[in-house]
Amino acid sequence: MRQIELKALAKINLGLDVLGKRENGYHDVRMIMQSIYLYDDVKIEKTEESGIFLETNLHFLPTDSSNIAYKAAQMLLEEFDISQGVKIGLNKHIPVAAGLAGGSSNAAAVLFGMNRLFALHLTQEELMERGVKLGADVPYCIMRGTVLAEGIGEQLHKLPAMPKCTVLIAKPPVSVSTKMVYEALDAKEILVHPDIDGLIQGLEQGSLRRVASCMGNVLEDVTIPMYPVIDKIKEEMQACGALNAMMSGSGPTVFGLFENRADARKAQARIREKALAKQVFVTNIHGVRGKQDGTEI
């Protein structure tokens, strides 16, 4: 095998709770993560020349060792003393710095793809052990699906698949610093915690409405006052029939869950008309069922 092409899937947080802060600066979290069918195309090729050659369709993204996908390749080349090099092409569709784990998903795809290309025979668990050294979301992006994440996000437990629905994604034109959001959260008392157990029960019951009603993200209390456009997008989605709408991760992306695809399209049009967001996508939940062919990460 000389090359491999992969789909690196985005994620949303159906629930995000922060339980405390560790001495090393990391936060203990309890989150329910869900893959969605919004993805970056990742192409990896072997090269006879040693080194890592990274290309992307976004001019502002770094293509050197500061890129997490580059770091993932570097990790495996060094660990397994691989003399050949790799050429990595990232065709980005997932909004950048948006709370959708685009970078982490790219790194996961590189780990997965190089494992196949170079026949390293690493198990999924072994890939995840390496992934957490790159970022807390990388192990999840290797596992995919509907997952409870605990610890700093690296303790992962599979949950029943999310009920079928349409997902609307809207990324407003603002940049959010995850570090700044968590620092602001540390400075305040968390009075209301999301109902993570209720979410899990909704998944076990296969009830989309129960899942939607229990959604919650403790970081909204920090990010929304900084960027009120997030709340406006949520209101538009709910006005158009979303069962619920919420910020993903530390933001600023908002997602809405819809039973009716036409309602999602209507909300998409209204959000664009009101110039609340340019990057607005109608997509689906991605459930991992049955045998995978290895082309989706």
Side-chain angles (χ1 to χ4, degrees):
M1 187 186 288
R2 294 291 308 171
Q3 67 178 49
I4 188 168
E5 296 184 19
L6 303 155
K7 292 181 175 67
L9 301 176
K11 66 85 184 164
I12 54 176
N13 297 94
L14 298 172
L16 194 165
D17 197 7
V18 178
L19 307 179
K21 185 178 180 180
R22 299 185 180 184
E23 288 183 6
N24 62 7
Y26 283 97
H27 289 78
D28 281 299
V29 296
R30 196 161 185 246
M31 306 183 291
I32 294 182
M33 319 246 262
Q34 174 64 53
S35 307
I36 57 172
Y37 212 70
L38 172 63
Y39 57 85
D40 294 336
D41 295 299
V42 181
K43 183 177 180 181
I44 310 169
E45 296 178 66
K46 289 181 182 176
T47 63
E48 293 306 318
E49 186 182 353
S50 63
I52 301 163
F53 310 92
L54 185 82
E55 299 175 341
T56 174
N57 60 320
L58 299 181
H59 66 88
F60 56 84
L61 283 185
T63 55
D64 58 13
S65 59
S66 62
N67 188 300
I68 191 172
Y70 187 111
K71 290 177 183 176
Q74 190 173 40
M75 173 186 285
L76 294 185
L77 289 176
E78 290 178 356
E79 179 182 352
F80 291 92
D81 198 23
I82 298 169
S83 59
Q84 291 171 292
V86 287
K87 181 180 178 182
I88 302 169
L90 302 180
N91 190 15
K92 300 283 293 178
H93 306 290
I94 302 171
V96 175
L100 298 171
S104 295
S105 193
N106 294 163
V110 170
L111 293 176
F112 182 92
M114 287 183 62
N115 189 43
R116 293 279 297 275
L117 270 183
F118 293 98
L120 302 179
H121 304 296
L122 295 170
T123 64
Q124 183 184 74
E125 185 175 339
E126 288 169 334
L127 287 174
M128 289 164 62
E129 287 170 0
R130 286 157 177 80
V132 75
K133 297 173 185 175
L134 299 167
D137 281 343
V138 178
Y140 167 73
C141 292
I142 293 169
M143 180 181 276
R144 309 178 305 268
T146 313
V147 171
L148 173 66
E150 296 178 296
I152 63 167
E154 87 290 6
Q155 297 172 20
L156 303 177
H157 309 279
K158 278 279 189 184
L159 294 173
M162 175 77 176
K164 184 179 178 182
C165 63
T166 297
V167 184
L168 181 62
I169 300 289
K171 158 67 166 61
V174 297
S175 295
V176 173
S177 163
T178 299
K179 183 174 182 287
M180 187 172 70
V181 168
Y182 274 95
E183 285 174 353
L185 185 73
D186 292 337
K188 61 181 291 183
E189 183 182 0
I190 300 173
L191 299 175
V192 180
H193 289 270
D195 187 3
I196 302 295
D197 291 332
L199 268 166
I200 294 171
Q201 289 167 8
L203 292 167
E204 290 171 345
Q205 295 163 3
S207 170
L208 179 62
R209 287 182 174 266
R210 178 78 192 277
V211 168
S213 69
C214 292
M215 280 167 36
N217 181 347
V218 76
L219 299 180
E220 283 191 335
D221 290 343
V222 173
T223 308
I224 289 177
M226 296 177 183
Y227 305 100
V229 65
I230 294 169
D231 221 18
K232 291 178 182 176
I233 294 171
K234 288 177 61 176
E235 289 168 2
E236 287 297 334
M237 289 185 182
Q238 290 170 323
C240 289
L243 294 179
N244 206 346
M246 192 176 81
M247 184 180 82
S248 184
S250 56
T253 300
V254 178
F255 70 91
L257 302 184
F258 292 81
E259 290 179 304
N260 186 317
R261 199 170 187 86
D263 289 343
R265 291 285 184 199
K266 181 182 173 184
Q268 180 187 39
R270 280 177 53 163
I271 289 165
R272 283 179 173 161
E273 284 166 12
K274 296 189 176 185
L276 298 175
K278 289 182 180 178
Q279 294 177 288
V280 193
F281 310 94
V282 175
T283 185
N284 300 307
I285 290 294
H286 183 272
V288 182
R289 291 188 178 90
K291 186 177 178 181
Q292 297 294 301
D293 65 2
T295 60
E296 291 176 358
I297 267 292

